Amino acid sequence: MINNIRGFIADFSAKARNFPERVFADFNDEAITFGRLENESASFAAELRLRGLKAGARVAVMMRNSPETLSLLLGIAKAGAAWVPINAQQKGDGLRYILEHSRPELVVCEQGFVPVLADCGAKIRAEAVITIGDCRDERSLESILQKNLEFAETAPDASELFAIMYTSGTTGRPKGVRVTHGMLRLAGEAVRTLTAMKPADVFFVWEPFFHIGGAQLLVLPIIEDVKLAMVDRFSATRFWEQVRNSGATHIHYLGGILQILLKQPETALDRQHKVRIAWGAGCLNDIWPKFRDRFGVEIRECYGMTEASSITTCNTEGVVGSVGKAMPWYRIDIEDENGNPLPADHRGEIVVRSSLDGALFKGYLDNPEATDRALVNGALRTGDSGTLDSNGNLWFHGRMTDSVRCKGENVSAWEVEHVVAAHPAVEDCAVIGVAADVGEQDIKLFVKAKSGNSIDPDQLSRWLSERLASYQIPRYIAIVADFERTPSQRIMKHLLPRELNDCWDRLEEPARA
């Protein structure tokens, strides 16, 4: 049991001094040592001071994973500055909002993103931008990292701000979660428990660091003698080749990653790898045994939020469909809308408490209303629906706000999507509520067909009518070629069209026999 939270920068620097040649990570097979990271991160931290940035200053970063990413993030952390990660796919109003809301004093971005920054409308001084991609420019990030500047300030402690991480914004404006050094360290400790990691393990990293699922991996080589095997992006066709070449023992998944990998053609090499454990969140009940049996890996599902140091529960017992039991430093309760605890197997809101100071975030950046809704009497009201069984296993039922009020019933989008996803021709799907002619809302379903398949809306609706309650059956079905997604492969529902002229309408079909 962890009794107090520590930071991670002091431990990183100590390890770099004692083992400078030890490999922290490989990036596309390029070895990155502790010594290199120590020198380059010190140079960037010193550069921040030369530019007048003090502890607490905000540094926005818009770049994909690269060897320089590690040095940059460790340098920001060393200086006690607050990292503002920005999705590399962001643009327009969404990008402008994050920049204006976070008010960074410095922006670091890839050279190719400079026009995107300019076009979004945010007011950014040219001298406040550092670019990566032109090593001949002495003002570039590459040049700064090679300056060999010294930085000898005391490492930030656990309570100091490490990052302002904006939520994915799948249903509305993103909120800036204030993540401390201690919270990131605790996320790493949770990964240690969830994955049963041990010295010499190799963690395959496809997820961008600007997502908490990637950021939490930053501390793993610091707290244990493991190595990261980083690639520049997720590739379904090259995934297992990259995993084999890296010698990875652990792979991470989110969203529909497992489904995407299962759709790849089966080969004799499916089990020719060193992976023991696939860990993450979002593994559907029917996908679990299929992935486990085909690739010969153990599935370890978890549940969590950035607001609660990323990981709150872990399933180390193999209970298919459950997200497991609370980490030792958390307590999970299921409560009704009035905050009353509910007994086992009763559905309600997942509420997280901790006796460990700093395990829960202290609030959203400049958003007291959202903070007050999330933190009530020291407890995190997650807004997620769940049940606890008699053995203390948590079962996740989706976002409470991701529901449709239809025919007097609250219909969980997650439950409908779970059934639709089981259809043999469906690759992925999403449900939203749209305005009804009479009453509250109607259900609109978006479906993407598997490669080589086609979907007939009428036939799909008939199939669903045998598996869903009458009030859960979508009225509208739209066939789509693809979905816009967050970096963790979540469908961005707020971008799905609510118009009704692009879809099949069940009520306009002739009466069925």
Side-chain angles (χ1 to χ4, degrees):
M1 174 64 182
I2 296 174
N3 296 315
N4 63 291
I5 303 178
R6 298 168 55 187
F8 60 91
I9 286 298
D11 289 344
F12 163 73
S13 294
K15 202 164 188 177
R17 286 192 303 270
N18 294 327
F19 308 101
E21 299 304 315
R22 180 169 292 171
V23 175
F24 186 104
D26 291 327
F27 183 84
N28 288 343
D29 299 325
E30 175 187 348
I32 304 170
T33 65
F34 272 83
R36 170 182 168 179
L37 292 177
E38 173 70 9
N39 293 336
E40 292 183 354
S41 61
S43 289
F44 191 79
E47 177 74 16
L48 293 183
R49 292 292 185 264
L50 291 173
R51 289 172 175 256
L53 274 68
K54 300 178 180 179
R58 298 165 191 168
V59 180
V61 177
M62 188 175 182
M63 58 189 288
R64 290 163 291 214
N65 288 1
S66 70
E68 292 79 14
T69 306
L70 296 171
S71 299
L72 172 64
L73 298 187
L74 289 166
I76 293 172
K78 275 188 175 183
W83 168 42
V84 181
I86 297 178
N87 185 337
Q89 300 174 26
Q90 276 283 9
K91 58 185 177 180
D93 182 64
L95 176 58
R96 179 191 59 78
Y97 173 79
I98 292 175
L99 289 170
E100 291 183 348
H101 188 261
S102 63
R103 303 185 302 280
E105 296 183 39
L106 188 68
V107 177
V108 183
C109 72
E110 294 177 26
Q111 185 67 40
F113 293 148
V114 172
V116 179
L117 290 172
D119 291 343
C120 80
K123 295 179 180 179
I124 305 171
R125 296 176 294 109
E127 60 271 22
V129 178
I130 295 175
T131 60
I132 178 174
D134 186 359
C135 58
R136 297 168 298 178
D137 185 349
E138 63 180 14
R139 297 166 299 177
S140 71
L141 177 62
E142 296 98 322
S143 296
I144 291 171
L145 296 180
Q146 299 304 315
K147 285 185 176 181
N148 290 319
L149 301 176
E150 294 186 359
F151 189 82
E153 294 182 20
T154 302
D157 65 30
S159 63
E160 293 188 52
L161 192 62
F162 166 69
I164 301 167
M165 306 197 79
Y166 283 82
T167 57
S168 297
T170 55
T171 56
R173 283 292 194 191
K175 301 185 290 292
V177 182
R178 294 186 293 174
V179 178
T180 65
H181 282 247
M183 288 173 66
L184 194 73
R185 172 65 178 257
L186 195 63
E189 297 291 351
V191 173
R192 184 205 296 271
T193 299
L194 174 64
T195 65
M197 70 180 183
K198 57 188 179 182
D201 278 343
V202 179
F203 281 69
F204 187 69
V205 183
W206 59 266
E207 192 166 359
F209 279 102
F210 52 72
H211 185 275
I212 186 62
Q216 66 191 355
L217 303 180
L218 183 67
V219 301
L220 299 191
I222 300 171
I223 66 175
E224 183 58 85
D225 292 333
V226 301
K227 182 176 72 171
L228 305 182
M230 299 169 57
V231 293
D232 48 2
R233 63 184 179 87
F234 173 79
S235 169
T237 56
R238 298 179 58 211
F239 184 87
W240 286 109
E241 177 189 357
Q242 292 172 323
V243 167
R244 282 191 292 271
N245 291 342
S246 70
T249 57
H250 292 73
I251 58 174
H252 184 228
Y253 62 86
L254 279 174
I257 294 297
L258 299 185
Q259 293 95 311
I260 292 171
L261 293 175
L262 274 173
K263 294 190 190 86
Q264 300 305 304
E266 293 189 33
T267 76
L269 297 176
D270 280 348
R271 285 180 171 238
Q272 300 302 307
H273 55 73
K274 296 181 180 179
V275 177
R276 301 195 313 272
I277 292 174
W279 62 283
C283 181
L284 300 177
N285 292 14
D286 58 327
I287 296 297
W288 190 310
K290 291 178 183 177
F291 195 91
R292 177 196 63 205
D293 296 344
R294 174 175 167 182
F295 296 108
V297 301
E298 180 182 353
I299 300 289
R300 289 203 168 188
E301 182 85 348
C302 64
Y303 164 81
M305 300 175 68
T306 307
E307 291 90 332
S309 303
S310 184
I311 296 176
T312 308
T313 71
C314 65
N315 183 346
T316 60
E317 300 174 357
V319 180
V320 174
S322 169
V323 294
K325 297 177 179 178
M327 301 300 297
W329 46 87
Y330 287 123
R331 191 185 94 203
I332 299 293
D333 295 296
I334 304 297
E335 298 181 358
D336 64 18
E337 62 274 14
N338 297 316
N340 300 311
L342 295 171
D345 299 321
H346 281 65
R347 183 175 302 193
E349 183 176 10
I350 301 171
V351 179
V352 183
R353 293 177 171 84
S354 180
S355 58
L356 185 60
D357 185 42
L360 299 177
F361 83 132
K362 301 300 184 185
Y364 300 107
L365 177 67
D366 297 336
N367 196 336
E369 296 83 5
T371 297
D372 290 343
R373 288 194 299 270
L375 293 173
V376 180
N377 297 323
L380 175 63
R381 303 197 68 87
T382 65
D384 290 334
S385 174
T387 55
L388 281 171
D389 65 24
S390 57
N391 293 317
N393 293 302
L394 179 65
W395 300 78
F396 174 73
H397 302 303
R399 292 290 294 169
M400 295 178 67
T401 53
D402 192 12
S403 62
V404 182
R405 185 71 177 175
C406 185
K407 297 181 174 63
E409 300 282 351
N410 285 319
V411 178
S412 165
W414 184 88
E415 288 187 332
V416 176
E417 291 161 356
H418 184 69
V419 173
V420 177
H423 189 282
V426 171
E427 177 173 308
D428 213 343
C429 62
V431 160
I432 63 171
V434 294
D437 298 330
V438 179
E440 296 145 318
Q441 290 179 299
D442 282 322
I443 300 171
K444 183 176 181 180
L445 168 67
F446 297 80
V447 288
K448 175 185 177 182
K450 291 179 180 178
S451 178
N453 289 263
S454 62
I455 296 174
D456 177 79
D458 180 64
Q459 292 179 353
L460 175 60
S461 183
R462 291 173 184 268
W463 187 87
L464 293 174
S465 69
E466 298 174 357
R467 293 161 174 83
L468 293 170
S470 59
Y471 60 83
Q472 293 178 311
I473 302 172
R475 173 174 174 177
Y476 303 102
I477 298 178
I479 310 299
V480 299
D482 211 344
F483 291 102
E484 292 194 59
R485 300 174 183 272
T486 70
S488 58
Q489 299 301 305
R490 294 189 182 96
I491 294 171
M492 301 176 74
K493 288 192 174 183
H494 66 292
L495 298 181
L496 294 174
R498 283 165 167 74
E499 292 80 7
L500 303 177
N501 58 0
D502 64 345
C503 54
W504 175 87
D505 182 353
R506 176 166 53 88
L507 298 187
E508 290 185 357
E509 289 298 297
R512 295 173 177 174

